[in-house]
């Protein structure tokens, strides 16, 4: 059904690519993060709820077709359905049916709750293509309530000490999930430009978020004391972040589960909040598909494949354009797997 | 255990010194002395001895987590820290321990000594089940003996000083030498009465800062006493109440390790403390450091090794005379007294550190250039009027090392670091050319900026040729200038050469791999250096 080509995963029966790495004729896009949505293809298919953010991420005038979750789309001799992946607003798993065989490509996904996007939906299939960003048993997310209570107490303590809280998280997805969990009673919420743009698209998509102020506005310096500033990771230690004077820096990412990752960045606080599935979630998700064959991509492919094989599944690792492992946490530019 | 885990988290969460001191003060204000004593013990760098082997801990943790051993190993490599890896793979318990730290250390950790596997396993698994995640992490840190939290003894003394009103200098002194972490000790440590005494206790070592500026910025050369910077073991020799004590800078009592020095110490008058350097020495000059390494760690010192590697104590300073603490006297006076003391003894194993003439900085600079040929690492500059301080302080004592030797070498293997560098390829092996292939020459871990480390890490991931466990063979492409302090022949190294303290001085992005140094050039370097060394 699917083959891995130099442009990415290709379905011959339907003549389309899923999240291609290079411009192609027809691309089915699981979600709008940069390593899944590449510019220049002739036609795109994505979920209705993801249309706004994808349009903002692709070149102006890109030809994008939108489908509701569960809606049937016929491509060549295949039938496609998009199902929610719970990763970010509009993120989808791609279900492909052809000649009685069903494949599901997960894209990036999480099974934990997130008020800013439609929850992950398990889909039965014969072959499941899963991500494995956090595919090791050290990654078991603490409850969302606990993480947000830590974030809010940190913010409250900083505010009481007259400090600004700078909270880093990817501009699309993570930032909005953070906004949704903040206790807006503590103080004003400021945003970096990249975050503000994506946040307004979320609001347009009907997601309710607390009021935010663009930190680039002329009077933001005066406002920042006691405020929390939501910014993408690359804003850390940049000239941009200096405007906040005395501030404490936190970072919300699954990588923060490990102390070394936090210390590498000399952060004040790390919060283990991820939009990817953790180890127990990954195993449960695979099991729920009922798939006998699993393709593992992006992340700890080796250990996940071995684990699945030892449990009698037909599993294999497939390459991605971006090396998984820990490369992400060391990148200084915008990277969606943070 | 709760309060201790909280303290650990608080210290770990901040890089601010004042916040760390505040967390310590808060802890000491409420902790029982029996717990506080252990905290002082651990935070001042006294590590618990590892009583359970790493292999067993790994196996038990994997069993308890319900994962195969190989998956535990994968997890461990990703985390880079055994204590943390165990903490993360174990299922959450929802429990937490109200028992004090002293219980965990005395009734559990220390009881593991000498127990068989079954008992140790039982204790470990039971402990993991009783503790919450934070507590489990500090417990594992204690068990693995790798307890470091970015709070030095200096911070502990500051916090204790703030809390008890006892001057920091007194606290540092009371923390020297051998003591047991008992509640009584903690009470004595913070007691206002400063007339306490322990006959073995050494003074805190005064350490020099590296000199990076032009020495002319230090004023006139004749205001300074210049000595050779020897490469041995810094030590303190004490004679009190008819007994002799030899301490290393790591505050280890070197009893029996250097019997010839202790014999000489026995000739000193009671109430004497000498600061000096243990050096392997023959015919009026030091032997290479590698010779001293043959004596380090040897508990039984036989006649042959005593003859092969004779050791002396090169005396730098006199800290106590006739039982009186001399540390606040000017160095010139302490040195005069030291000279007189050593002259009163028959010639032996105690040698006065010779002063290098310093009429002007040019003479000193010339002497520094000659240091390597004498088996020294450079020169020490000590202000004539300086007191003997505590710890590493700027201003009065400087070390001015010789410029290092350098070789351009090619990155050939990389492996992930641990701790802060976990998951990043930070530990490198470098090769030099022997004909048309690269022979491993040195390993280096330090010298790059965080940004450079990230770039090399990305390079390693994209240019891996082979994997052997955690080690990767990479495309030989990146060239680094390696700096090191010494170079010697070695039969244990593939290249036949060993270097001392190698580190990356520069990333030579301007050089191609083919332009890196050859074994011939390195052998020439070796000859030129050993030609000047009498050894």
């Amino acid at each position: 059904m699917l083959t891995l080509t130099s442009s990415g995963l290709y379905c011959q029966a339907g003549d389309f690519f899923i999240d291609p790495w290079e411009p192609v004729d027809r691309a089915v896009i699981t979600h709008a993060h940069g390593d899944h949505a590449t510019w220049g293809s002739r036609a795109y298919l994505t979920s209705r709820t993801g249309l706004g953010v994808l349009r903002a991420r692709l070149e102006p005038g890109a030809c994008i077709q939108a489908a509701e979750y569960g809606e049937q789309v016929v491509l060549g001799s295949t039938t496609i359905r998009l199902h929610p992946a719970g990763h970010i607003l509009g993120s989808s798993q791609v279900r492909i049916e052809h000649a009685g065989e069903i494949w599901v490509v997960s894209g990036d996904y999480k099974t934990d709750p997130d008020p800013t996007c439609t929850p992950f939906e398990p889909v039965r299939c014969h072959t499941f293509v899963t991500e494995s960003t956090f595919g090791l048993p050290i990654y078991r997310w603490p409850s969302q309530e606990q993480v947000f209570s830590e974030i809010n107490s940190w913010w409250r303590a900083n505010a009481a000490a007259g400090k600004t809280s700078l909270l880093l998280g990817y501009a699309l997805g993570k930032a909005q999930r953070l906004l949704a969990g903040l206790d807006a009673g503590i103080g004003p919420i400021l945003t970096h430009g990249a975050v503000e743009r994506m946040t307004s698209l979320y609001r347009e998509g009907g997601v309710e978020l607390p009021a935010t102020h663009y930190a680039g506005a002329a009077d933001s310096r005066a406002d920042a004391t006691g405020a929390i500033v939501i910014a993408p990771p690359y804003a850390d230690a940049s000239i941009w972040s200096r405007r906040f004077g005395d501030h404490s820096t936190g970072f919300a990412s699954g990588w923060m589960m490990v102390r070394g990752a936090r210390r590498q960045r000399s952060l004040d606080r790390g919060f283990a909040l991820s939009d990817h599935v953790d180890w127990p979630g990954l195993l449960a998700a695979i099991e729920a598909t009922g798939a006998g064959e699993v393709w593992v991509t992006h992340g700890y492919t080796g250990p996940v494949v071995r684990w699945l094989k030892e449990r009698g599944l037909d599993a294999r690792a497939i390459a991605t354009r971006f090396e998984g492992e820990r490369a992400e946490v060391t990148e200084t530019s915008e990277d969606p797997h943070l | 255990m709760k309060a201790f885990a909280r303290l650990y988290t608080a210290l770990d969460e901040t890089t601010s010194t004042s916040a760390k001191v505040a967390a310590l003060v808060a802890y000491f204000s409420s902790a029982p002395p029996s717990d506080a004593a252990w905290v002082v013990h651990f935070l001042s760098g006294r590590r618990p001895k590892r009583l359970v082997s790493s292999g067993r801990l790994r196996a038990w943790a994997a069993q308890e987590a319900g994962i195969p051993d190989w998956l535990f190993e994968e997890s461990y490599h990703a985390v880079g820290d055994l204590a943390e890896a165990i903490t993360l793979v174990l299922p959450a318990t929802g429990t937490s321990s109200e028992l004090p730290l002293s219980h965990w250390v005395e009734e559990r950790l220390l009881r593991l000594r000498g127990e068989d596997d079954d008992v140790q396993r039982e204790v470990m698994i039971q402990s993991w089940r009783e503790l919450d995640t934070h507590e489990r992490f500090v417990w594992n840190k204690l068990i693995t003996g790798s307890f470091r939290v970015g709070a030095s003894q200096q911070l502990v003394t500051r916090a204790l000083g703030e809390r008890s009103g006892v001057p920091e200098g007194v606290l540092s002194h009371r923390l020297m030498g051998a003591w047991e972490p008992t509640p009584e000790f903690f009470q004595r440590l913070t007691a206002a009465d400063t007339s306490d005494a322990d006959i073995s206790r050494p003074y805190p070592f005064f350490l020099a800062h590296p000199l990076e500026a032009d020495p002319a910025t230090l004023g006139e050369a004749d205001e300074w006493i210049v000595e050779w910077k020897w490469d041995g073991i810094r030590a303190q020799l004490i004679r009190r109440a008819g007994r002799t004590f030899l301490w290393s800078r790591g505050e280890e009592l070197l009893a029996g390790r250097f019997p010839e020095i202790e014999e000489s110490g026995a000739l000193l008058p009671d109430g004497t403390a000498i600061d000096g350097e243990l050096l392997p020495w023959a015919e009026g000059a030091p032997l290479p450091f590698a010779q001293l390494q043959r004596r380090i760690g040897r508990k039984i010192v036989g006649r042959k090794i005593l003859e092969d590697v004779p050791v002396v104590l090169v005396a730098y300073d006199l800290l106590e005379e006739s039982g009186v603490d001399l540390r606040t006297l000017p160095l010139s006076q302490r040195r005069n007294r030291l000279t007189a003391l050593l002259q009163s003894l028959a010639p032996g194993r105690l040698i006065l550190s010779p002063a290098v003439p310093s009429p002007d900085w040019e003479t000193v600079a010339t002497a520094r250039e000659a240091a390597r040929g004498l088996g020294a690492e450079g020169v020490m500059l000590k202000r004539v009027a300086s007191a003997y301080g505590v710890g590493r302080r700027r201003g009065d004592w400087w070390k001015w090392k010789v410029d290092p030797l350098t070789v351009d070498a090619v990155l050939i293997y990389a492996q992930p670091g641990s701790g802060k560098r976990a998951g990043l390829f930070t530990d490198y092996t470098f090769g030099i050319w022997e004909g048309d292939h690269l022979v491993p020459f040195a390993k280096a871990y330090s010298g790059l900026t965080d940004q450079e480390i990230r770039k090399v890490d990305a390079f390693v991931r994209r240019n891996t040729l082979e994997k052997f466990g955690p080690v990767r063979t990479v495309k030989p492409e990146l060239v680094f200038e390696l700096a090191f302090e010494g170079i010697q022949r070695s039969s244990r190294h593939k290249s036949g050469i060993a270097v001392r303290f190698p580190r990356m001085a520069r990333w030579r992005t301007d050089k191609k791999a083919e332009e890196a140094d050859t074994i011939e050039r390195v052998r020439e370097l070796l000859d030129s250096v050993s030609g000047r060394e009498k050894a």
Side-chain angles (χ1 to χ4, degrees), chain B residues 240-310:
Chain B
R240 288 184 194 129
R243 292 179 62 194
T244 307
F245 306 95
L246 183 63
W247 292 94
S248 75
R249 205 189 100 195
E251 288 168 49
E252 189 193 359
L253 198 51
L254 299 171
R257 308 280 182 91
F258 299 95
E260 65 267 64
I261 304 299
E262 289 180 276
E263 267 169 40
S264 300
L267 304 175
L268 293 169
D270 267 340
T272 304
I274 292 173
D275 174 18
E277 189 103 6
L278 293 168
L279 281 177
W281 194 270
E283 294 168 23
L287 299 169
F289 187 79
Q291 293 296 316
L292 189 59
Q293 276 171 330
R294 294 174 58 197
R295 300 247 339 227
I296 297 171
R298 210 179 264 258
K299 291 226 162 113
I300 298 159
V301 187
R303 184 176 297 164
K304 173 146 179 11
I305 191 84
L306 278 172
E307 279 167 14
D308 284 359
V309 189

Side-chain angles (χ1 to χ4, degrees), chain A residues 74-298:
Chain A
V74 176
L75 289 178
S77 57
T78 63
T79 306
I80 307 254
R81 280 196 182 90
L82 302 180
H83 294 271
H87 177 56
I88 62 167
L89 182 66
S91 65
S92 313
Q93 307 173 71
V94 184
R95 178 185 185 276
I96 314 160
E97 190 170 351
H98 171 71
E101 202 183 336
I102 300 166
W103 285 50
V104 170
V105 178
S106 74
D108 290 340
Y109 67 101
K110 72 169 172 289
T111 51
D112 275 3
D114 176 350
T116 66
C117 63
T118 320
F120 175 87
E121 184 185 299
V123 182
R124 305 282 297 177
C125 58
H126 300 104
T127 302
F128 185 49
V129 182
T130 182
E131 63 137 322
S132 61
T133 309
F134 292 105
L136 281 178
I138 51 175
Y139 295 108
R140 281 176 299 137
W141 309 141
S143 78
Q144 190 164 230
E145 294 73 43
Q146 187 192 326
V147 176
F148 278 113
S149 133
E150 282 172 22
I151 292 175
N152 284 317
S153 336
W154 166 72
W155 179 16
R156 204 173 284 117
N158 290 336
K163 272 193 201 174
T164 305
S165 306
L166 177 61
L167 181 54
L168 307 170
Y170 187 59
L172 168 57
K174 183 64 64 63
Q176 291 72 35
R177 188 175 175 206
L178 288 171
L179 287 172
L182 290 178
D183 176 357
I186 299 172
I189 303 173
L190 307 186
T191 49
H192 182 275
V195 171
E196 189 58 29
R197 271 194 301 283
M198 291 302 138
T199 303
S200 59
L201 292 171
Y202 265 61
R203 290 199 182 99
E204 284 166 24
V207 179
E208 265 191 58
L209 295 171
T212 55
H213 309 277
Y214 171 43
D219 60 345
S220 63
R221 184 183 290 268
D223 287 343
T225 309
I228 193 163
V229 184
I230 310 292
Y234 59 83
D236 182 22
S238 68
I239 291 168
W240 183 84
S241 70
R242 279 187 224 152
R243 70 182 71 190
F244 302 113
D246 188 13
H247 63 267
S248 174
T249 306
F251 191 1
S253 159
W255 300 114
M256 294 299 118
M257 197 78 202
V258 172
R259 195 165 153 257
R262 172 164 61 76
R263 289 160 76 213
Q264 275 161 23
R265 282 181 166 259
S266 302
L267 297 162
D268 297 306
R269 290 295 295 272
F271 302 104
L273 186 76
S274 177
D275 288 330
H276 293 267
V277 68
D278 63 359
W279 173 257
L282 176 72
L283 302 185
I286 292 171
E287 190 169 353
T289 64
E293 185 175 345
V294 181
W295 289 15
V296 184
T297 180
H298 201 292

